[in-house]
Amino acid sequence: MELGEIAAGQPKTDLLYLREMEIRQAEARVIKVVPEKRTHAYLILDQTIFHPKGGGQPSDRGVIRSREYEVTVKKAIHYKGVVIHWGKLNLGTPTEGDAACVLDWPYRHLVMRRHTAAHLLDHCLAKAIGRRVQTTDSWLDEPCYVGYAGTVPSEEALRGTEVLATRMIAKGASVSIKFLSSEEAKELLQNAPNYERLPDLSEIRTVTIDGCQPIPCGGTHVSNLADIGGVSVVNAEPLSDETYRLHFSVSANASSS
Ligand SMILES: [Zn+2]
């Protein structure tokens, strides 16, 4: 069945992760179930902690369960404001009504650390090359990178980016979320690395690393730079269209608590 058919007539899903990024589990109400063969199903909830694939962030994974059934969520998909959860049936058959949702937290926390590191790299790269950077895209699963417009920076600038980012992570800084009106956003975000990709919304969510330019973003981040643990710039890969990908990794030793 097409996603449009599954989402038809359903209310927009309340996206809990936009306000509370550290929620790992929550109750929700299943409002629609569409079985797929006997092994899988699509579920729509009134509210969700599952971040769907989008904005460079891969889909969350986890479990939706009640006393009667359990579904392993493989993918959350955003369709015109409705989040559709697709998963494999482990036990019983899902039905409408109350359910418990639990994230695969180690994976989500890794993505949050990578996502925050990506914003930090925007800031540090701009400092290292001495001018504003413009992002083109990003991907926070594998391979993990941020795409930028322009030609590949010098090796010295890449090392400078990594050194500055490492220093800022060691020092720590709060990472906060704010909702701005469209007018406020246009004024405040002119230097944001993704300004050209801003959606035309009545309300724009921004993330700010203390001391850095606010960045419009709908993703999930850690609440302090220190939680990233560490970051390495792996390489910069030039692409044929005058853009390049800055491949990076975050250290594996940060706590996932
Ligand atoms: Zn973000």
Side-chain angles (χ1 to χ4, degrees), residues 122 125 133-139 145-150 193 197 237 239 243-248:
D122 294 346
L125 182 61
V133 294
Q134 185 192 336
T135 56
T136 53
D137 66 344
S138 70
W139 184 237
Y145 67 85
V146 185
Y148 294 100
R197 298 191 289 140
E237 176 199 0
L239 302 181
T243 66
Y244 63 94
R245 287 178 175 176
L246 192 76
H247 292 267
F248 70 96

Side-chain angles (χ1 to χ4, degrees), residues 55 57 115-116 118-119 140 177 194 205 207 215-221:
Q57 198 169 318
H115 198 145
T116 314
H119 293 314
L140 300 166
I177 292 298
N194 57 351
R205 179 178 182 266
V207 53
I215 296 176
C217 184
T220 57
H221 317 91

Side-chain angles (χ1 to χ4, degrees), residues 15-21 51 177 179 205 217-220:
L15 310 175
L16 297 177
Y17 60 81
L18 285 183
R19 301 187 296 274
E20 294 279 344
M21 287 169 285
H51 188 292
I177 292 298
F179 290 88
R205 179 178 182 266
C217 184
T220 57

Side-chain angles (χ1 to χ4, degrees), residues 142-197:
E142 306 294 340
C144 179
Y145 67 85
V146 185
Y148 294 100
T151 49
V152 170
S154 67
E155 199 53 37
E156 193 192 348
L158 295 179
R159 291 286 76 84
T161 302
E162 185 178 275
V163 167
L164 180 56
T166 301
R167 204 183 301 150
M168 289 178 73
I169 290 169
K171 201 171 159 211
S174 70
V175 181
S176 57
I177 292 298
K178 230 189 212 168
F179 290 88
L180 302 178
S181 72
S182 178
E183 293 75 45
E184 283 175 306
K186 289 219 165 85
E187 202 172 312
L188 235 141
L189 302 176
Q190 284 170 23
N191 291 317
N194 57 351
Y195 184 74
E196 285 78 2
R197 298 191 289 140

